[in-house]
Amino acid sequence: MKKTSLQRRLFTYLVVILVVFILVQLGIYTWVEYRGWIEHPAEPFSVELEEVEAALVLNIVLLPVVLLLAWGASHRMLDPVRSIADTAQRIGDGDFDERIDTNAMADDEMHRLADTINAAFDRYDSAVQRLKRFVGDASHQLRTPLAAIRTMGEVAASRNRSAEEYRDAISDMLQELDRLRGVIEQLLALSRLEHGALRGRFRTINASDVVTGVASLYSPVCEENGIAFEQRADAGLQVNGIRELLTEMLANLVDNAVRHTPRSGSIRVGAQRRDNAIVLFVQDSGPGIPADMAERIFERFFQIPGSTGGGAGLGLALSREIAALHGGTLTLINPGQKGALFEARFPAYRPPAAPTGAASPDRARSSSS
Amino acid sequence: MSLPSSSESVAANVLVVEDDRRVTDGLVCGLTEAGFSVRAEASIKAAREAIAEAKPRLVILDLGLPDGNGLTFLRELRRFGESLPVIVLTARDSVEDRVEGLDEGADDYLVKPFSFPELLARVRARLRNVRVSGTEILRVADLEINRLNRSVKRAGVNIELTSKEFDVLAFIAQSAGHPVSRDMLTREVWKLNNRVALMDNVIDVHISRLREKIDHGHERKLIRTIRGVGFVLDASEA
């Protein structure tokens, strides 16, 4: 009966106030009569007494009505509370689509409370949805290599084979194991990033160093794949962060670019200042990313349908998380267009005093090859 | 593979303290094949006795043991001034753990799942106690790698390598017939701490270029891939 205790209390307060009010009224009447009788003892006061009596009677007759009204008012005032509690109960029971109906509510504190709670439920709901999808995808990505390893082992062990065959089987298993380890490492990296504790290791780093580092890793890879690699980093761009992570982010983007760029294509990697932000970008000359996938590619385990090879689909999710850790954003600038352009934007470490090589305006968003 | 029984009076030069039997079996087998005599214990208590008895020259210590934290044991070892090299194994990899492990006196630190070639390389490095820098010129068959002036010759002919290609080759050559894993290359040659899956591309390109330059046109192929394990430079196989 917890549900009514607040209402009872409210009602009790109203009743007490009412009774006190009646008593004060009576007191005043009595006082007035008493004073009149003192001053004019001879005067009969029957008439006035009758008036007092009438007033009293009226009060007593009206009392139940007033009490009823007080009960009703307290009940009504607590309507939103009941509604919130009921809705919360239903959501708690598993009906995540339920929300508190605020249409009927006045624009008051209760409305604000309900809005706050609804917003919290929204966040909770989307987190639950994401978690569900994540668990499903993760179990797939973890179980598939495990299944492969198991099958290979079982088949290899099921009959006598030559040393050569055993070695082959073991090698296959090791490679699959490595894939599995990759997924696990990436998942752990993601949860570490979400934690945010890494911020304690931030240093001031040069954006151009990050670009140069990634370029030295990937220009041989591009060369080998017949892809022209262009690197363009303005000097003196400073970001507060962890160099290894930013390198990993950019390397992820370049690795994707290499996989989606045909021979004799090109990849551009660079860093530049734009307004108060430092932008790291990677652009390839591949087919681009369909518009309806511009956001989904950042989801964990998302793979563009029909794409072959590559990892578990965690690279971009990781990259975005790295950008977020650094207070930045990572977005696909030109969905649906040829030559995917990814930009990571970070707050510049220093206010733009005198930027060397001012942001080149020629790098228009539509640039593609 | 069988564990040497702890009553055996062989002077073990490597003591493995690890409570997971599979891991222990693998380590004991691998290290024995690599020429070490190995003793394995599964608890701190047993390890304490083993150190007193067998006087190992190196300890491989897992941190999660049934009768206590490996770090406590490490601290205990160090308090008594043991200069015994200790390589710590752990499944936890946060930077803080690593720092703590090294603070307590671990000589080296490997995160599970480590690659066995890497562990072996670390064990060798610790036992050798001196850097391998003594040998400035490495020779494998008719391949000559000069680390002083960073030049490479095959059958007397100079070979032009990029700086990274040289580093990769020298690193593989230096491990003298033992395979080098991708993890090791990432850490030792590229100096990257966490091997992101995408380093595979980078490593493959360097290896294939090295093959092109070193082995192309020669009957004897020196750079060998051990699929699933890594790379080895050896003259034993044609």
Side-chain angles (χ1 to χ4, degrees), chain A residues 167-168 171-172 174-175 178 181 185 192 201 217-218 220-221 223-225 244 248 251-252 255 259, chain B residues 93 95 112-113 183 190-196 198-199 201-202 205-206 208-209 227-229:
Chain A
R167 193 179 309 169
D168 268 358
S171 289
D172 286 343
L174 282 174
Q175 283 179 322
D178 219 33
R181 190 192 71 158
E185 291 300 330
R192 268 197 299 273
R201 291 171 53 205
L217 282 179
Y218 275 90
V221 177
E223 208 178 294
E224 202 67 15
N225 286 288
E244 252 184 40
E248 188 179 336
N252 261 322
D255 201 73
R259 274 190 281 123
Chain B
D93 67 339
V95 186
K112 290 177 184 175
D183 287 29
W190 274 274
K191 309 290 178 203
L192 292 172
N193 250 337
N194 45 337
R195 183 194 140 208
V196 271
L198 40 87
M199 276 304 286
N201 267 332
V202 178
V205 163
H206 281 83
S208 85
R209 287 180 160 195
R227 216 159 47 85
V229 179

Side-chain angles (χ1 to χ4, degrees), chain A residues 183-204:
Chain A
V183 179
I184 293 172
E185 291 300 330
Q186 284 186 307
L187 286 175
L188 291 175
L190 271 170
S191 77
R192 268 197 299 273
L193 286 170
E194 278 180 334
H195 219 253
L198 291 166
R199 286 203 186 88
R201 291 171 53 205
F202 275 22
R203 303 277 177 277
T204 308

Side-chain angles (χ1 to χ4, degrees), chain A residues 115-178:
Chain A
D115 280 345
T116 313
I117 292 174
N118 273 343
F121 281 139
D122 282 344
R123 281 195 300 277
Y124 174 61
D125 190 21
S126 72
V128 168
Q129 294 301 331
R130 249 180 300 142
L131 189 68
K132 270 188 187 159
R133 221 168 29 234
F134 173 75
V135 170
D137 292 337
S139 57
H140 171 79
Q141 289 289 349
L142 294 172
R143 280 181 169 149
T144 306
L146 263 183
I149 294 165
R150 183 175 191 165
T151 307
M152 289 176 200
E154 284 168 344
V155 170
S158 63
R159 67 174 177 83
N160 285 333
R161 292 169 196 280
S162 69
E164 192 63 24
E165 285 178 302
Y166 281 128
R167 193 179 309 169
D168 268 358
I170 293 171
S171 289
D172 286 343
M173 288 166 75
L174 282 174
Q175 283 179 322
E176 205 58 21
L177 210 63
D178 219 33

